Amino acid sequence: MRVIDLIIKKRNNKALTTEEIKWLIDNYTNGNVTDYQMSAFLMAVCFNGLTDRETVDMTLAMRDSGEILDLSSINGIKVDKHSSGGVGDKVSLVLIGIIAALDVPFAKMSGRGLGHTGGTIDKLESIPGFNTDLTIDEFIENVNSIGVAIAGQTSELAPADKKLYALRDVTGTVDEVSLIASSIMSKKLASGCDKIVLDVTVGSGAFMKNPREAMILSKKMVDIGKSCGKETVAVLTNMDEPLGNSVGNALEVVEAIRTLKGYGPADLLEVVYAIGAQMLILAKKANTVDEAVSLMKATIDNGSAYNKFIEFVERQGGDTSYIRNYDPLITPSIIREVKAESSGYVQKIDGTLIGHASLILGGGREELTDEIDPAVGIVVNKKVADKVKTGQVLAFIYANDEKNVDKAYKEIVSAYTISEREISRPKMILNVIK
């Protein structure tokens, strides 16, 4: 088999066989296929696409390129939750306490943030002492003991995807739907859970900007999961503005804690309940969405979700005094108000600009090796549909470096669109694909 023949075959819009795809992925992973050859193949895919069968074959080839976790020793139905990312997305932080409090094992491998979207691992590591570097044995033991564990993805999990994604990132081949779907699902299938719930975020603060494209991606990922024997549900959620009010690592942990204590923003809770309901239904803890939401609300009302979150933090080495009294988590040297320059109603908040402002402040990273400042970020004071007057506070900047504040301020002001037209609050749940 020769790689040039496979490149020409895909260039001519012909489907590769299962064996050809496996050979290509295996040989690229071990270095026998060069970057420039794989780049040519990826560009051919961007022009001609992959068939459904080819997409599944690529997913499985990437899954099988490394370690596949065996979580069979964890009791109960294990439901994995994955988000395509967004600005202010702290849904997993809230679900940790809720799902585990309902005796559904929450065994999650998470990644770090890159660019304007934050990662669950970075957020949790803003809690002093918190450890995400667990061995597989420690990971399984924690889930069996307290119902939850979150660890960083190992380098042995779908290494072909890691290598391919880095290449796609520099060759303009990121946004082809089959490549996106196979990338996400290869990692999910290698993570060892029984069922999968996908939070596919859509809008200015998300990777997927277009609802139609997000729908196509969601259907493709659900079909991949089903074809591989993993029941999969995708929930399309609105990310046209930051989710909740806080953007930044420690700030989002604090907002998650407040949500577990019953003080969460309405839009965040709406998404949490929608994603959590599908997890509970797949885990056979509830038969309907309404039943599942009632169970989740009860864990917040009776304090069991908050207590489970404390237990989780303690188990993974975190200092729980920062959970009981979270004020010391957010002690930036600078807090600056961003004020409205006109009166009216907030029509839009560009999530990408808010995320970029947080990145400027040091709350994110351009490269995976960049250091982040967990204390910095933005608290959004006015959301879409809110009435504002000139001079009122739109947002608060939390910073530790004065030289970055003015740049972030300009980004935040630019993110807001204000006009005299009164509008309704946006719908958060756009669709559910099963």
Side-chain angles (χ1 to χ4, degrees), residues 141-157:
E141 170 61 23
N142 284 5
V143 179
N144 277 332
S145 298
I146 66 168
V148 57
I150 293 187
Q153 289 177 345
T154 71
S155 60
E156 298 303 314
L157 208 67

Side-chain angles (χ1 to χ4, degrees), residues 114-133:
L114 189 61
H116 70 272
T117 60
T120 299
I121 293 295
D122 297 315
K123 293 166 190 176
L124 287 169
E125 286 182 346
S126 68
I127 303 168
F130 193 92
N131 174 37
T132 59
D133 187 20

Side-chain angles (χ1 to χ4, degrees), residues 221-234:
M221 290 192 294
V222 168
D223 288 345
I224 291 171
K226 288 179 180 177
S227 70
C228 298
K230 302 281 187 182
E231 192 173 1
T232 304
V233 176

Side-chain angles (χ1 to χ4, degrees), residues 69-95:
L69 298 185
D70 180 4
L71 302 184
S72 59
S73 58
I74 294 177
N75 304 317
I77 299 173
K78 299 162 286 296
V79 184
D80 197 0
K81 175 261 176 191
H82 171 81
S83 171
S84 55
V87 178
D89 181 2
K90 71 281 294 179
V91 173
S92 291
L93 298 179
V94 181
L95 285 173

